Amino acid sequence: MDPDAVAKAFVEHYYSTFDANRAGLANLYQEGSMLTFEGQKIQGSQSIVAKLTSLPFQQCKHNITTVDCQPSGSGGMLVFVSGNLQLAGEQHALKFSQVFFLLAQPSTADLMCYLYVAFCYQMFHLMPTPQGSFYVLNDIFRLNYA
Amino acid sequence: MDPDAVAKAFVEHYYSTFDANRAGLANLYQEGSMLTFEGQKIQGSQSIVAKLTSLPFQQCKHNITTVDCQPSGSGGMLVFVSGNLQLAGEQHALKFSQVFFLLAQPSTADLMCYLYVAFCYQMFHLMPTPQGSFYVLNDIFRLNYA
């Protein structure tokens, strides 16, 4: 696994989903996930998405300036993003920084593998599926005021 | 343990040490520690401190604007800082964001406890010592350009 490639793919997926369909971000969080948004602490996928979908703007576009990542504890990955947030109808973009701590979630392939091991003596045939993905354990967002 | 109190104490200690005696930061990193400084990746306490002490300015003062923290994987803690970096002789401060992933290192009290268990049949008397501290596993620094 190339951490930089994973981070880049995650960042592209996260912000394109945010800009097109914020409710779709629910799949990236779990019940133990935490978001600190401009100092406000929110926990759990449902509450996090409720917060993100209730922000006081509808259309927006994130333009990413930097993405840094490092492997971290528990096999997780730290991803640090800076960029500009352009709101529809606003002349000036807002600068922001955001940090994510990502953890791998077992892939369907992993689960299939467990099933295969459990039932292998019966020679079940199980189709391999795409590789595992990550979920967001920690998410901290801040606007960078001039 | 109150994560906000730990984060606040860490941030005060880190930046006051940085501003007064950068070489003293060596105690906060270990061999597995990683720093990404403006995109440059550096690993290990010695290399990290060599980088920090070779930055092209001598005197500086960090003024902290925001500190956010969340408990994270492996019992670690994510700390996200934004602020201004004032360099001696410069009129304008530089805005920066920095993220740390902190892990607890065993305290002297923990080590004493291990020793006590090892030697308890001889009834050694061992003095308890202050609580454990944290070290920096991950550190990512970025200037926020206007």
Side-chain angles (χ1 to χ4, degrees):
Chain A
M1 182 186 78
D2 172 7
D4 289 305
V6 173
K8 186 167 177 285
F10 168 78
V11 166
E12 283 174 3
H13 178 59
Y14 183 89
Y15 292 106
S16 63
T17 304
F18 194 114
D19 294 347
N21 169 32
R22 260 175 266 175
L25 294 172
N27 297 329
L28 294 176
Y29 297 95
Q30 294 190 354
E31 278 319 290
S33 299
M34 289 159 271
L35 166 67
T36 305
F37 189 89
E38 288 286 291
Q40 183 190 358
K41 295 183 180 188
I42 300 144
Q43 181 149 5
S45 176
Q46 200 174 343
S47 301
I48 289 171
V49 171
K51 171 68 185 180
L52 297 178
T53 53
S54 68
L55 292 173
F57 54 85
Q58 291 303 311
Q59 282 186 294
C60 66
K61 175 79 174 71
H62 290 81
N63 295 303
I64 304 309
T65 309
T66 63
V67 178
D68 294 305
C69 86
Q70 291 178 358
S72 189
S74 304
M77 195 161 56
L78 195 61
V79 182
F80 185 36
V81 180
S82 70
N84 297 291
L85 173 58
Q86 182 68 55
L87 306 183
E90 297 288 334
Q91 190 176 358
H92 298 290
L94 302 166
K95 296 177 68 64
F96 74 92
S97 298
Q98 190 162 13
V99 59
F100 300 96
F101 184 88
L102 308 181
L103 277 179
Q105 46 190 343
S107 65
T108 313
D110 291 334
L111 298 174
M112 286 299 204
C113 184
Y114 303 149
L115 282 173
Y116 181 77
V117 168
F119 294 103
C120 61
Y121 63 93
Q122 294 185 30
M123 299 302 280
F124 274 57
H125 178 74
L126 297 169
M127 187 99 84
T129 53
Q131 76 285 358
S133 54
F134 285 82
Y135 77 95
V136 179
L137 176 60
N138 303 98
D139 180 354
I140 303 177
F141 177 93
R142 278 281 176 189
L143 290 173
N144 300 138
Y145 293 104
Chain B
M1 183 186 77
D2 172 8
D4 289 306
V6 172
K8 186 167 175 287
F10 168 78
V11 166
E12 284 174 4
H13 178 60
Y14 183 89
Y15 291 106
S16 63
T17 304
F18 194 113
D19 294 347
N21 169 33
R22 260 175 265 174
L25 294 172
N27 297 328
L28 293 176
Y29 297 95
Q30 293 190 354
E31 278 319 291
S33 299
M34 288 160 273
L35 166 67
T36 305
F37 189 90
E38 287 287 290
Q40 183 190 357
K41 296 182 180 187
I42 299 144
Q43 182 150 4
S45 176
Q46 200 174 344
S47 301
I48 289 170
V49 172
K51 172 68 185 179
L52 297 179
T53 53
S54 69
L55 292 173
F57 54 85
Q58 292 302 313
Q59 284 186 293
C60 66
K61 176 79 174 72
H62 290 81
N63 295 302
I64 304 309
T65 309
T66 63
V67 178
D68 293 306
C69 87
Q70 291 178 358
S72 188
S74 303
M77 195 161 56
L78 196 61
V79 181
F80 185 37
V81 180
S82 70
N84 296 292
L85 173 58
Q86 182 68 55
L87 305 183
E90 297 287 334
Q91 190 176 0
H92 298 292
L94 303 167
K95 296 177 69 65
F96 73 92
S97 298
Q98 190 162 13
V99 59
F100 300 95
F101 184 87
L102 308 182
L103 276 180
Q105 45 191 344
S107 66
T108 312
D110 290 335
L111 297 175
M112 285 300 202
C113 184
Y114 303 150
L115 281 174
Y116 181 77
V117 169
F119 293 103
C120 60
Y121 63 92
Q122 296 184 29
M123 299 302 280
F124 274 58
H125 177 73
L126 296 170
M127 186 99 83
T129 54
Q131 76 283 359
S133 54
F134 285 82
Y135 76 95
V136 178
L137 176 61
N138 303 99
D139 179 354
I140 303 177
F141 177 94
R142 278 282 176 189
L143 290 173
N144 300 139
Y145 293 104

